[in-house]
Amino acid sequence: MRLPGRLSAAIEVLNDVEARKRPVSEALKAWGLGNRFAGAGDRAAIGNLVYDALRRRASHAFIMGDDSARALVLAVAVLDWHNTPETLNAAFADDAHAPAQLSDAEIARLQTDPTTAPDHIRADMPEWLVPSLQRAFGPNWVAEGQAMAGRPSLDMRVNALKSNRDRVLKNLKRFDAVQTQFSPNGVTIPPGERDSRTPNVTTDEGYLKGWFEVQDQGSQIVAALAGARPGNQVLDLCAGAGGKTLALAADMTNKGQIFAYDSDRNRLAPIYDRLKRNGARNVQVRAPLDGALDDLVGKMDRVVVDAPCTGTGTWRRRPDTKWKLTPELLATRQAEQSAILDDAARFVKPGGTLIYITCSILPEENDDQTTAFLARQPQFVVADIAPLWQSSLAAPMSPELPSVAGGIILTPRRTATDGFYFAALTRAE
């Protein structure tokens, strides 16, 4: 497929997303199944167009004066992929699969000065979240939003139980992989531009042998800050598919015990194969049954709560969810987080630590939850993260990271990672 056909396909996918109210990943998969003539390069390019359109949906719609799929895709083609309207129109004229040529009005709109847009549009953020973002980031909130609208890198965590970073870097040299800035076991492939393809590293020999796992560097950072050490007793209370469980097992060198639990059996299902591939032998998976964790009350050195959240920190990867978030969904997640934190507290032994993590950038899910928990549970205090960072990570902690309540916030702008919140809450002896 040539660019005109790819642009038409991206418009079709975006229209499908809007009409059927389904996730972008499902719409892209459905398009691929219905158009089997399209090669891997075509599918990658169409996916890039769709995701780029959604990442900057607000600012592109402002420039075009229109939020239709056509307007968004044309804005990406010109403003992000740096095609000229004249080049596009010439290509469209010779391609039966092309969209209609750009009109004079559309060409004129593409000259709109983006700096004249309201701040929430320049930040590509829903307007109702502005007070939250201002609380979280102060005068830098627009820049934080703009960084959140970029493409993410592909990050991997080297599994120290089976390999080392030099070996993995050599194995992935063909993808221009480099070491991460903060995670001592991290490897990253920078995001490409335009129609570049993200490599499928899960088919690589090293992955199949358990040498590395796909994991955003931000997730690696908060797992390292959890401070799990050989011989510890650790409860991963919201283990899900086990990404952080695997990182904890490696940090503990398979010594001690990790109890991996999740209230949703389906989320937990992939963990078994991942544990086997990674050679993680100190993990005991606890199924979500009544009383499944009763024997752990008051005995854990670390209780890790990777809480259910709005996922605002992952908007680079799932930009469609940015425009679907509602105050009602945020309130639901807040209630869930409060309940999980209170439940987690009972497993922490005196002198132990409760680790609170979200992949959110909103203070309602982060500092507000930490502050409210400490008010309800006065036997806990906020631990100083600076020594944890210094002992666990490969580069100094920026003074910009600490939050008001004693946690830290990672973001694409600050750390070139997804958005994460981390707080360590220690129980009195």
Side-chain angles (χ1 to χ4, degrees):
M1 295 175 67
R2 295 189 296 170
L3 178 61
R6 290 172 171 180
L7 294 174
S8 289
I11 292 169
E12 181 182 340
V13 171
L14 284 170
N15 281 329
D16 181 42
V17 169
E18 181 65 26
R20 301 196 186 191
K21 308 298 181 185
R22 61 176 172 177
V24 171
S25 58
E26 290 184 13
L28 285 167
K29 182 179 180 180
W31 187 92
L33 291 173
N35 298 271
R36 294 186 181 274
F37 62 86
D42 295 321
R43 293 193 300 272
I46 294 162
N48 285 347
L49 286 166
V50 169
Y51 280 105
D52 285 349
L54 290 171
R55 290 184 182 108
R56 294 192 170 96
R57 177 177 174 176
S59 58
H60 284 337
F62 172 82
I63 288 170
M64 299 299 291
D66 180 7
D67 66 353
S68 68
R70 171 184 166 86
L72 297 177
V73 170
L74 290 178
V76 169
V78 174
L79 302 174
D80 298 341
W81 289 31
H82 308 299
N83 296 282
T84 66
E86 294 75 21
T87 300
L88 288 177
N89 273 347
F92 291 178
D94 295 330
D95 195 318
H97 302 288
Q101 289 188 315
L102 282 76
S103 67
D104 290 342
E106 287 173 326
I107 294 173
R109 291 293 313 188
L110 285 164
Q111 306 302 314
T112 302
D113 181 0
T115 64
T116 61
D119 285 347
H120 74 278
I121 289 176
R122 293 195 298 117
D124 274 291
M125 291 288 187
E127 186 173 10
W128 69 272
L129 285 176
V130 169
S132 297
L133 298 168
Q134 288 175 329
R135 271 211 296 146
F137 304 116
N140 293 323
W141 74 271
V142 172
E144 293 284 355
Q146 290 171 337
M148 191 71 73
R151 289 186 184 179
S153 58
L154 174 61
D155 299 343
M156 290 143 283
R157 179 187 57 80
V158 175
N159 177 20
L161 297 175
K162 285 194 169 184
S163 191
N164 59 66
R165 185 152 66 176
D166 287 343
R167 176 190 286 177
V168 172
L169 283 170
K170 183 178 180 180
N171 189 60
L172 299 176
K173 184 178 180 180
R174 66 193 185 280
F175 299 131
D176 297 323
V178 296
Q179 67 183 33
T180 49
Q181 179 181 2
F182 299 105
S183 171
N185 294 312
V187 170
T188 184
I189 299 173
E193 298 180 349
R194 296 170 58 99
D195 60 355
S196 61
R197 292 171 60 184
T198 300
N200 180 13
V201 296
T202 61
T203 62
D204 183 84
E205 179 187 17
Y207 176 83
L208 298 175
K209 289 182 176 180
W211 292 358
F212 63 86
E213 285 286 324
V214 176
Q215 186 177 22
D216 180 75
Q217 186 187 188
S219 181
Q220 296 178 47
I221 290 171
V222 297
L225 290 175
R229 297 293 179 259
N232 280 172
Q233 297 291 302
V234 177
L235 171 59
D236 189 353
L237 193 57
C238 305
K244 293 183 180 65
T245 304
L246 295 170
L248 297 171
D251 286 344
M252 295 168 66
T253 64
N254 266 337
K255 298 174 183 176
Q257 187 73 57
I258 301 173
F259 300 92
Y261 175 87
D262 198 283
S263 61
D264 186 326
R265 190 182 300 269
N266 292 327
R267 282 199 300 263
L268 199 59
I271 197 172
Y272 299 97
D273 287 341
R274 298 182 77 186
L275 291 172
K276 183 178 180 180
R277 188 177 66 250
N278 278 257
R281 300 187 301 274
N282 66 331
V283 179
Q284 184 181 132
V285 181
R286 294 285 181 95
L289 302 170
D290 289 342
L293 303 177
D294 286 353
D295 60 319
L296 307 183
V297 173
K299 297 180 180 178
M300 297 294 102
D301 297 292
R302 294 283 190 277
V303 176
V304 178
V305 175
D306 186 3
C309 66
T310 56
T312 53
T314 65
W315 276 344
R316 296 184 303 168
R317 303 179 192 278
R318 300 181 62 201
D320 51 326
T321 64
K322 174 161 53 173
W323 311 109
K324 296 176 183 178
L325 182 60
T326 63
E328 293 75 21
L329 179 57
L330 174 58
T332 297
R333 294 292 177 262
Q334 288 176 271
E336 293 170 348
Q337 291 154 5
S338 296
I340 290 172
L341 279 170
D342 285 341
D343 184 49
R346 64 194 181 99
F347 298 104
V348 184
K349 75 178 188 181
T353 303
L354 172 56
I355 304 298
Y356 180 55
I357 299 167
T358 73
C359 54
S360 173
I361 59 172
L362 303 180
E364 290 87 347
E365 301 181 274
N366 298 336
D367 272 357
D368 290 358
Q369 291 287 12
T370 297
T371 300
F373 173 80
L374 294 172
R376 297 192 305 270
Q377 306 275 356
Q379 70 273 34
F380 284 85
V381 296
V382 178
D384 184 4
I385 295 176
L388 290 172
W389 186 289
Q390 186 174 1
S391 64
S392 303
L393 298 168
M397 182 174 73
S398 165
E400 201 174 16
L401 298 187
S403 64
V404 173
I408 59 169
I409 304 177
L410 313 177
T411 67
R413 174 181 168 270
R414 295 171 169 190
T415 49
T417 67
D418 285 347
F420 279 93
Y421 176 80
F422 174 94
L425 311 168
T426 300
R427 185 170 194 153
E429 297 278 1

